[in-house]
Amino acid sequence: MKLASLKEGGRDGTLIVVNRDLTRAVRASGVAPTLQAALEDWSNIAPRLNALYEGLQAGKVADAFDLDIDRLASPLPRAYEFVDGSAYLPHVARVRRARGAEVPESFYTDPLMYQATSSGFLAPRDPILAASEDWGIDLEAEVVVVTDDVAMGVTPAQAADHIQLIGLVNDVSLRALIPAELAKGFGFLQSKPRSALSPVFVTRDELGDAWRDSKLHLPMRTWINGQWFGEAEAGVDMQFSFAELIAHVAKSRPVSAGTLVGSGTIANEDTAKGASCLAEQRTVETLRDGKPTTPFLRFGDRVRIEVTDKDGHSIFGAIEQVVERYSPA
């Protein structure tokens, strides 16, 4: 099934069920008011939502309405936790090679992850706001999964069953602010503003054989100002599966229902597939030409992030955002 949230009903939106081709929807208020509420009682709520989804698919829901993406908040307008990984080591290796460093052996066995911003997510059509172009505004096209409650100490095999929803995230980065923050030895803060989530999240069964080994095996397609930017294969070169990432997070603590776990920027060894972030493209240019030539995002630039099935149908809907200057009220 496919789930989304309307921009109504308060900060957490109103949960709706969306049909497979993203054209019709129905409010799920009689089942659960919000997606967070559904996730907190998932084993009981999910079958009822799925029944509503099947009725919508069959055209048997009387109060269905046409879906308008502009009316959508992110499926989870805010979440208790968002932990993001860097599971695609080709990206890590290229970035380190560009500055003359090697990839430590531990990176192949111990995932890189950080605590990301979760107090609010941008809707899929909300602008990317920044006070200055000098901040190095970058998109990062990633896959994200959402868990139910996960016990501390789960194995990857156990963690796989706790992946309840899959979607996309534009994990916006401000590249020019990152070096100084990392130099402090305490991680990201100002360099990681709010991210945008795809219009809908979907259950694993909705993906068919494109979901296996706790990975999404489809290309991540990105465009900037209408021009093709990349279509890196999400299921290729992912060093750690989502099950492994969740188990890593849960090593020393339980994971709450509604937690988002990100894959990190999709990147392949094959650079002909393009990139999923500008930092990756600039690194490729530096290694090839001695310097980067692709600029970071500027005000007025448009980004689009989407995953389609083998027949070209959008699965999660597209994240489409314009970069705008932020002016305090």
Side-chain angles (χ1 to χ4, degrees), residues 243-265:
E244 291 171 312
L245 294 177
I246 293 167
H248 180 76
V249 176
K251 177 179 179 177
S252 59
R253 63 188 185 190
V255 176
S256 296
T259 292
L260 290 91
V261 180
S263 64
T265 304

Short mmCIF file of all heavy atoms in Angstrom, two decimals, residues 243-265:
data_model
loop_
_atom_site.label_atom_id
_atom_site.label_comp_id
_atom_site.label_asym_id
_atom_site.label_seq_id
_atom_site.Cartn_x
_atom_site.Cartn_y
_atom_site.Cartn_z
N ALA A 243 18.79 -3.42 6.73
CA ALA A 243 18.72 -4.28 7.92
C ALA A 243 20.00 -4.13 8.74
O ALA A 243 19.96 -4.07 9.99
CB ALA A 243 18.51 -5.73 7.51
N GLU A 244 21.14 -4.08 8.07
CA GLU A 244 22.41 -3.92 8.78
C GLU A 244 22.52 -2.53 9.40
O GLU A 244 23.06 -2.37 10.51
CB GLU A 244 23.57 -4.17 7.82
CG GLU A 244 23.69 -5.62 7.38
CD GLU A 244 24.69 -5.82 6.27
OE1 GLU A 244 24.65 -5.07 5.27
OE2 GLU A 244 25.52 -6.75 6.39
N LEU A 245 22.02 -1.51 8.71
CA LEU A 245 22.05 -0.16 9.27
C LEU A 245 21.18 -0.06 10.52
O LEU A 245 21.58 0.54 11.53
CB LEU A 245 21.58 0.86 8.23
CG LEU A 245 22.47 1.04 6.99
CD1 LEU A 245 21.83 2.04 6.03
CD2 LEU A 245 23.87 1.51 7.37
N ILE A 246 20.00 -0.66 10.48
CA ILE A 246 19.11 -0.64 11.65
C ILE A 246 19.74 -1.38 12.82
O ILE A 246 19.71 -0.91 13.97
CB ILE A 246 17.74 -1.24 11.29
CG1 ILE A 246 17.01 -0.34 10.28
CG2 ILE A 246 16.88 -1.43 12.55
CD1 ILE A 246 15.80 -0.99 9.64
N ALA A 247 20.33 -2.54 12.55
CA ALA A 247 21.00 -3.30 13.61
C ALA A 247 22.14 -2.49 14.22
O ALA A 247 22.38 -2.54 15.43
CB ALA A 247 21.50 -4.63 13.07
N HIS A 248 22.83 -1.73 13.38
CA HIS A 248 23.92 -0.88 13.87
C HIS A 248 23.38 0.18 14.82
O HIS A 248 23.96 0.42 15.89
CB HIS A 248 24.62 -0.22 12.68
CG HIS A 248 25.76 0.66 13.06
ND1 HIS A 248 26.99 0.18 13.45
CD2 HIS A 248 25.86 2.03 13.13
CE1 HIS A 248 27.80 1.19 13.72
NE2 HIS A 248 27.14 2.32 13.54
N VAL A 249 22.28 0.81 14.45
CA VAL A 249 21.67 1.84 15.30
C VAL A 249 21.21 1.24 16.62
O VAL A 249 21.35 1.85 17.70
CB VAL A 249 20.49 2.51 14.58
CG1 VAL A 249 19.78 3.50 15.50
CG2 VAL A 249 20.95 3.20 13.32
N ALA A 250 20.66 0.03 16.56
CA ALA A 250 20.06 -0.60 17.74
C ALA A 250 21.06 -1.34 18.62
O ALA A 250 20.66 -1.97 19.60
CB ALA A 250 18.96 -1.58 17.29
N LYS A 251 22.32 -1.26 18.32
CA LYS A 251 23.33 -1.98 19.12
C LYS A 251 23.25 -1.61 20.60
O LYS A 251 23.33 -2.49 21.47
CB LYS A 251 24.73 -1.67 18.59
CG LYS A 251 25.84 -2.32 19.41
CD LYS A 251 27.22 -2.02 18.84
CE LYS A 251 28.32 -2.66 19.68
NZ LYS A 251 29.67 -2.43 19.11
N SER A 252 23.07 -0.33 20.89
CA SER A 252 23.13 0.12 22.29
C SER A 252 21.84 0.78 22.77
O SER A 252 21.82 1.34 23.86
CB SER A 252 24.30 1.10 22.47
OG SER A 252 24.13 2.22 21.62
N ARG A 253 20.76 0.72 21.96
CA ARG A 253 19.52 1.39 22.35
C ARG A 253 18.38 0.83 21.52
O ARG A 253 18.58 0.40 20.38
CB ARG A 253 19.64 2.89 22.10
CG ARG A 253 19.83 3.24 20.63
CD ARG A 253 20.15 4.71 20.44
NE ARG A 253 20.23 5.07 19.03
CZ ARG A 253 20.69 6.24 18.60
NH1 ARG A 253 21.09 7.15 19.45
NH2 ARG A 253 20.74 6.50 17.31
N PRO A 254 17.16 0.86 22.04
CA PRO A 254 16.01 0.51 21.21
C PRO A 254 15.73 1.62 20.21
O PRO A 254 16.15 2.76 20.41
CB PRO A 254 14.87 0.36 22.23
CG PRO A 254 15.28 1.23 23.37
CD PRO A 254 16.78 1.18 23.43
N VAL A 255 15.02 1.28 19.15
CA VAL A 255 14.66 2.24 18.11
C VAL A 255 13.14 2.41 18.13
O VAL A 255 12.41 1.42 18.07
CB VAL A 255 15.14 1.75 16.72
CG1 VAL A 255 14.69 2.69 15.63
CG2 VAL A 255 16.66 1.61 16.71
N SER A 256 12.69 3.64 18.20
CA SER A 256 11.26 3.91 18.34
C SER A 256 10.52 3.81 17.01
O SER A 256 11.09 4.12 15.96
CB SER A 256 11.05 5.30 18.93
OG SER A 256 11.58 5.39 20.23
N ALA A 257 9.26 3.43 17.08
CA ALA A 257 8.41 3.40 15.90
C ALA A 257 8.38 4.78 15.25
O ALA A 257 8.26 5.79 15.93
CB ALA A 257 6.99 2.98 16.28
N GLY A 258 8.50 4.80 13.93
CA GLY A 258 8.53 6.06 13.21
C GLY A 258 9.93 6.58 12.98
O GLY A 258 10.09 7.69 12.47
N THR A 259 10.95 5.79 13.30
CA THR A 259 12.33 6.20 13.04
C THR A 259 12.64 6.04 11.55
O THR A 259 12.31 5.02 10.95
CB THR A 259 13.32 5.37 13.87
OG1 THR A 259 13.15 5.71 15.25
CG2 THR A 259 14.76 5.62 13.45
N LEU A 260 13.27 7.05 10.97
CA LEU A 260 13.72 7.00 9.59
C LEU A 260 15.20 6.64 9.55
O LEU A 260 16.00 7.18 10.34
CB LEU A 260 13.51 8.32 8.88
CG LEU A 260 12.06 8.71 8.59
CD1 LEU A 260 11.48 9.52 9.73
CD2 LEU A 260 11.96 9.52 7.30
N VAL A 261 15.56 5.76 8.63
CA VAL A 261 16.96 5.37 8.44
C VAL A 261 17.30 5.61 6.97
O VAL A 261 16.68 5.03 6.07
CB VAL A 261 17.19 3.89 8.81
CG1 VAL A 261 18.65 3.50 8.59
CG2 VAL A 261 16.78 3.63 10.27
N GLY A 262 18.28 6.49 6.73
CA GLY A 262 18.66 6.84 5.37
C GLY A 262 19.85 6.05 4.88
O GLY A 262 20.71 5.62 5.66
N SER A 263 19.92 5.90 3.56
CA SER A 263 20.97 5.10 2.93
C SER A 263 22.27 5.87 2.75
O SER A 263 23.33 5.28 2.61
CB SER A 263 20.51 4.63 1.55
OG SER A 263 20.30 5.74 0.69
N GLY A 264 22.19 7.20 2.73
CA GLY A 264 23.29 8.00 2.24
C GLY A 264 23.16 8.17 0.74
O GLY A 264 22.35 7.51 0.07
N THR A 265 23.94 9.08 0.19
CA THR A 265 23.88 9.40 -1.23
C THR A 265 24.13 8.16 -2.09
O THR A 265 25.12 7.46 -1.91
CB THR A 265 24.93 10.47 -1.59
OG1 THR A 265 24.71 11.61 -0.76
CG2 THR A 265 24.82 10.87 -3.04
#
